[in-house]
């Protein structure tokens, strides 16, 4: 059976607080653990009012304290924003605190404008060009390379499972060359999904960490007892995505009945595009969509994404999906 995992953006809702968002993420992780999900990942975003995962390693530690068995980690760390040594220290610390549970997904695209680049004190264009070397350096640290001149402590030889993230062919090529598991961000960028997975599998070179290609693909998933209710709870994220793509991001808004039908054609096309990797409806409908997506991609794991205004609606989605696919 294909494994199920969870991607959490730590959504901060309109009228809510960061404290509530972090409590909701911890509660959601407990729900995922109880329902049998394999991983619970936090995504790094900066300077976004509606997303609370900027200090990703700190939030992972918070989730780790709330759980006991589920794998936890980053989906992902945008390595151009950082230097490999500090990330090795952070995730080496997490690996010591939560042994055998830590994942480190790495991405190349920081998605930062000039103001954020200045705030991070980084030339992100140059840092993105160095991404392959930085990944290799970070893996050497976490693998315990004895020839390193300076060893991160903690971090050197830490038991951290590294992943390559991507939404284009670049990440697929690098994951294949380095023999890393590969996670594709199809929940918001499905365009290159099929080509990237084919390239990754074709060019995969076994490593000491992974003997065969291993693929995770992300989907936006909302489940409820009725299709109408599922569409309603999904409308909060739909609003957020349209606002983001039209240059007006903010906190997660309340659901709006009939939201999609109220949109002009251009905005509806945005949602239709990302809807290629989505499953919204009753548990039976969601099950059919996920199974069709697995048949299309051959994914070893599916990562469920999707923010709801009411945290309990997201928890219920995880429970309903786990039951439907059991």
């Amino acid at each position: 059976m294909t494994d199920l995992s969870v991607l959490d953006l730590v959504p901060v809702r309109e009228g809510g607080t960061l404290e509530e968002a972090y409590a909701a993420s911890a509660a959601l992780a407990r729900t995922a653990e109880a329902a049998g999900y394999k991983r619970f990942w936090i995504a790094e975003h900066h300077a976004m009012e509606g997303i609370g995962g900027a200090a990703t390693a700190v939030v992972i530690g918070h989730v780790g304290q709330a759980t006991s068995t589920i794998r936890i980690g980053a989906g992902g760390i945008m390595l151009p924003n950082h230097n490999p040594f500090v990330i090795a220290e952070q995730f080496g610390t997490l690996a010591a605190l939560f042994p055998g549970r830590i994942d480190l997904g790495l991405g190349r695209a920081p998605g930062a404008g000039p103001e954020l680049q200045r705030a991070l004190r980084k030339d992100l264009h140059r840092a993105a060009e160095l991404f392959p070397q930085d990944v290799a350096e970070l893996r050497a640290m976490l693998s315990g390379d004895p020839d390193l001149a300076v060893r991160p402590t903690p971090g050197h030889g830490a038991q951290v499972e590294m992943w390559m993230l991507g939404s284009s062919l670049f990440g697929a090529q690098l994951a294949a060359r380095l023999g890393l598991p590969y996670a594709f961000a199809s929940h918001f960028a499905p365009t290159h999904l099929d080509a990237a997975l084919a390239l990754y599998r074709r060019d995969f070179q076994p490593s000491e960490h992974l003997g065969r290609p291993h693929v995770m693909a992300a989907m936006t998933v909302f489940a409820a007892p009725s299709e109408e209710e599922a569409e309603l709870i999904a409308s909060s994220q739909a609003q957020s995505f349209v606002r983001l793509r039209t240059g007006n991001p903010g906190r997660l808004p309340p659901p709006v009945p009939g939201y999609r039908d109220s949109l002009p054609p251009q905005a509806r096309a945005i949602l239709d595009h990302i809807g290629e990797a989505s499953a919204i409806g009753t548990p039976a409908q969601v099950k059919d969509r996920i199974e069709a997506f697995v048949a299309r991609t051959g994914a070893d794991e599916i990562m469920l994404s999707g923010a709801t205004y009411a945290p309990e609606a997201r928890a219920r989605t995880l429970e309903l999906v786990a039951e439907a696919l059991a």
Side-chain angles (χ1 to χ4, degrees):
M1 187 181 75
T2 305
D3 288 320
L4 299 176
S5 296
V6 180
L7 177 66
D8 186 28
L9 300 187
V10 195
V12 185
R13 62 182 184 172
E14 292 181 1
T17 65
L18 279 167
E19 291 84 355
E20 291 172 348
Y22 295 131
S25 289
L28 187 67
R30 287 192 292 268
T31 297
E33 184 173 78
Y37 286 77
K38 186 172 185 178
R39 310 174 196 274
F40 191 93
W41 282 4
I42 304 296
E44 175 190 348
H45 293 81
H46 295 283
M48 298 188 72
E49 184 185 2
I51 297 177
T56 314
V58 178
V59 182
I60 293 168
H62 170 64
V63 170
Q65 291 288 353
T67 55
S68 58
T69 58
I70 192 169
R71 294 194 67 89
I72 53 178
I77 289 292
M78 301 298 107
L79 198 52
N81 293 341
H82 311 277
N83 69 72
F85 194 89
V86 170
I87 295 301
E89 290 179 327
Q90 290 178 2
F91 280 79
T93 302
L94 288 169
L97 290 170
F98 309 105
R101 297 177 58 196
I102 299 299
D103 298 333
L104 173 55
L106 298 170
R108 181 180 64 144
E115 296 81 5
L116 183 54
Q117 291 195 50
R118 284 193 291 271
L120 293 173
R121 305 293 195 271
K122 297 282 285 186
D123 179 348
L124 294 178
H125 178 74
R126 174 62 176 158
E129 292 178 344
L130 295 174
F131 179 69
Q133 297 96 304
D134 285 350
V135 172
E137 181 180 345
L138 179 54
R139 183 162 72 165
M141 295 175 190
L142 294 175
S143 298
D145 186 339
D147 296 327
L148 292 175
V150 181
R151 301 179 180 182
T153 305
H156 190 256
Q159 297 302 308
V160 173
E161 185 172 299
M162 286 182 62
W163 284 71
M164 183 60 58
L165 311 185
S167 59
S168 67
L169 301 185
F170 178 87
Q173 291 170 331
L174 187 56
R177 192 171 83 222
L178 297 178
L180 291 173
Y182 180 54
F184 193 89
S186 35
H187 61 303
F188 73 85
T191 302
H192 301 292
L193 170 64
D194 299 303
L197 297 191
L199 186 154
Y200 169 67
R201 291 179 172 125
R202 184 196 70 197
D203 294 348
F204 181 83
Q205 300 176 26
S207 68
E208 61 177 306
H209 307 286
L210 189 65
R212 57 180 293 275
H214 188 93
V215 166
M216 179 193 291
M219 296 184 72
T220 299
V221 178
F222 298 96
S226 70
E227 186 175 2
E228 293 75 19
E229 185 180 353
E231 291 286 354
L232 179 62
I233 64 173
S235 68
S236 292
Q237 177 158 304
Q239 294 174 72
S240 287
F241 197 83
V242 170
R243 292 177 183 180
L244 176 65
R245 288 294 176 91
T246 54
N248 187 34
R251 295 193 172 198
L252 187 70
V256 173
Y259 173 70
R260 181 185 291 267
D261 295 335
S262 71
L263 293 172
Q266 184 177 6
R268 204 173 313 154
I270 292 174
L271 296 181
D272 289 342
H273 177 60
I274 63 169
E276 294 175 17
S278 68
I280 303 172
T282 65
Q285 291 171 322
V286 167
K287 177 178 184 288
D288 289 344
R289 284 298 305 270
I290 292 176
E291 288 179 343
F293 190 72
V294 171
R296 168 187 165 183
T297 61
D300 303 286
E301 302 185 37
I302 296 294
M303 178 156 275
L304 277 61
S305 178
T308 59
Y309 186 78
E312 56 268 24
R314 179 91 193 277
R316 183 172 58 171
T317 283
L318 297 189
E319 293 170 338
L320 291 174
V321 172
E323 292 170 4
L325 290 171

